[in-house]
Amino acid sequence: MTTARGHEPAILVLEDGRTFHGAAYGAVGRTVGEAVFSTGMTGYQETLTDPSYHRQVVVMTAPHIGNTGVNSADMESRRIWVAGYVVRDPAIRPSNWRSQGDLEQALREAGVVGISGVDTRALTRHLRDRGAMRVGIFSGDAARAPVDELLGAVTSAPVMVGSALAAEVSTKEPYVVSPPEGAPVRFTVAALDLGIKETTPALLAARGVRVHVLPATSSFEDVAALRPDGVFFSNGPGDPATADHEVELLRRVLDERIPFFGICFGNQLLGRALGLGTYKLPFGHRGLNQPVLDRSTGKVEVTSHNHGFAVGWPAGIPTDEPVETSYGRVSCSHVALNDDVVEGLRCEDAPAFSVQYHPEAAAGPHDAEYLFDRFVELLTTHQQERDHRAQA
């Protein structure tokens, strides 16, 4: 039997037993992962190609998906990373001057199993109330198995807590992103690829930074060999509590007082390096419209998020007060206005800062792009201090 759209029937099964029926969208077969929802009205291609979504089944809250098609320019990595895709009303055909192909065909070619025709509002409310959980999408012959059997496949899948995934999405070989031809190279930065998006090194390069993108398994010696002016840690998937290697590397960076900037996963790892804990959010922040307060300016930014874990703040200390760590005082520089989650860290006594969200705005608003300028300012100040000491 096929659906009215000519697609195979499909079923979505949550680990708590709730099911949703729909039609196959993308590849036909079966997939399991963590069910999360994204509130972005646009930018679905950037979402699909964000390595931070590795092993996650993404539910799109926007009802109509696929109308602008896909193109090569909006790819944020070398492939689609989501484990599965859930939409309500897929576009029959793309209609956009930039479109180079159809979204469903792109999902098929990538082997991504999806489902359409689902009441994504009800599904999102369920995840919001019950929390992110494991889920399976089954279509075609796989959808014809008894629900109890499908539920067993879901509950036997690994959970996100305790999952070390950064090395699975990281580049295998180093590569360099340089400033535009003819533009001066002001600084050299070593960027640890924990799931980096292509727009991030491009924005740094546009500011005169030569970016050496390194595998997640790189050692401090690999970083130091580049004699970098600064170090950057990217976004990425998985539980930050598993990233002991990356945390130890970052502590070496802090010990050497090399300027540091981290985003998303990099923010969580800075928290761990400073002795702060991390924890899993009930259903995370994912979308393009998350309000964040920058405490240094008092401005509210509308920002792009994709994180299921966050940095913990010591009990009994308000987030508007600094805490003492082995690297000196640390402040919560940014805070989420929806739920008071720590969205940024600033070291008062070390050249390091980080944010939990995505200032590269791929996709999303450009309110936070100034953070790349702030990193360049940090590199400039550090270089001036170093030159002054050398002349003294």
Side-chain angles (χ1 to χ4, degrees):
M1 186 181 89
T2 58
T3 66
R5 285 172 56 90
H7 288 65
E8 294 273 5
I11 182 173
L12 181 150
V13 181
L14 292 164
E15 72 170 275
D16 65 0
R18 185 165 183 182
T19 61
F20 291 81
H21 291 267
Y25 185 65
V28 174
R30 57 189 290 160
T31 189
V32 294
E34 181 185 45
V36 300
F37 61 86
S38 174
T39 60
M41 296 291 289
T42 60
Y44 56 79
Q45 187 175 344
E46 290 90 341
T47 294
L48 289 166
T49 57
D50 180 352
S52 297
Y53 280 113
H54 179 43
R55 259 182 43 188
Q56 292 181 321
V57 174
V58 178
V59 180
M60 299 300 294
T61 62
H64 194 51
I65 297 295
N67 56 311
T68 58
V70 295
N71 62 67
S72 58
D74 291 342
M75 294 286 288
E76 281 302 314
S77 65
R78 63 187 181 277
R79 51 166 283 194
I80 293 175
W81 283 102
V82 301
Y85 205 47
V86 185
V87 302
R88 178 174 179 174
D89 184 18
I92 297 175
R93 65 184 64 85
S95 178
N96 185 271
W97 68 274
R98 298 176 69 241
S99 177
Q100 297 172 334
D102 176 72
L103 173 59
E104 183 175 19
Q105 182 61 33
L107 293 170
R108 285 186 186 132
E109 292 173 356
V112 176
V113 176
I115 184 172
S116 67
V118 170
D119 185 347
T120 51
R121 178 178 173 84
L123 176 54
T124 298
R125 288 170 64 93
H126 188 78
L127 295 174
R128 185 195 65 188
D129 294 341
R130 304 291 183 88
M133 64 183 75
R134 289 169 294 180
V135 66
I137 300 174
F138 308 90
S139 57
D141 291 341
R144 299 180 178 93
V147 172
D148 287 347
E149 180 180 322
L150 303 181
L151 181 59
V154 173
T155 56
S156 63
V159 297
M160 191 58 66
V161 173
S163 293
L165 303 179
E168 296 182 11
V169 303
S170 179
T171 182
K172 303 305 179 188
E173 298 293 335
Y175 63 92
V176 179
V177 179
S178 296
E181 185 175 354
V185 177
R186 298 176 59 194
F187 302 105
T188 296
V189 164
L192 199 68
D193 178 7
L194 306 171
I196 201 167
K197 293 195 281 184
E198 288 188 1
T199 301
T200 301
L203 287 174
L204 286 170
R207 288 161 169 79
V209 178
R210 177 177 287 134
V211 184
H212 291 258
V213 183
L214 304 178
T217 54
S218 298
S219 66
F220 177 76
E221 289 69 28
D222 295 328
V223 171
L226 299 172
R227 300 177 62 85
D229 299 297
V231 172
F232 173 82
F233 275 20
S234 78
N235 58 289
D239 185 346
T242 66
D244 293 339
H245 164 75
E246 294 89 338
V247 169
E248 286 306 313
L249 191 161
L250 180 48
R251 285 179 177 149
R252 293 285 303 277
V253 169
L254 296 174
D255 290 338
E256 296 296 326
R257 295 190 62 82
I258 303 173
F260 172 81
F261 176 34
I263 66 171
C264 202
F265 202 64
N267 177 70
Q268 296 159 13
L269 298 190
L270 178 59
R272 283 199 58 201
L274 296 170
L276 304 174
T278 57
Y279 65 98
K280 195 171 193 310
L281 295 166
F283 48 82
H285 299 172
R286 296 176 180 88
L288 316 179
N289 54 355
Q290 305 282 338
V292 168
L293 173 66
D294 181 348
R295 285 186 163 143
S296 68
T297 63
K299 292 182 178 179
V300 175
E301 305 163 7
V302 178
T303 58
S304 175
H305 287 225
N306 176 13
H307 65 108
F309 294 84
V311 173
W313 200 250
I317 301 178
T319 58
D320 59 357
E321 295 182 9
V323 296
E324 291 291 338
T325 74
S326 57
Y327 292 97
R329 293 171 302 159
V330 176
S331 296
C332 170
S333 60
H334 297 73
V335 64
L337 296 180
N338 285 334
D339 54 11
D340 294 325
V341 166
V342 173
E343 291 291 340
L345 299 171
R346 183 180 65 251
C347 295
E348 307 288 354
D349 304 306
F353 73 100
S354 60
V355 292
Q356 184 57 65
Y357 49 94
H358 289 241
E360 84 292 331
H366 295 266
D367 293 25
E369 191 175 311
Y370 71 90
L371 289 162
F372 293 102
D373 297 317
R374 188 172 288 181
F375 185 38
V376 171
E377 290 170 6
L378 178 63
L379 296 175
T380 302
T381 300
H382 189 76
Q383 184 182 69
Q384 291 171 346
E385 292 174 350
R386 184 177 57 200
D387 292 344
H388 179 74
R389 289 193 300 268
Q391 295 171 2

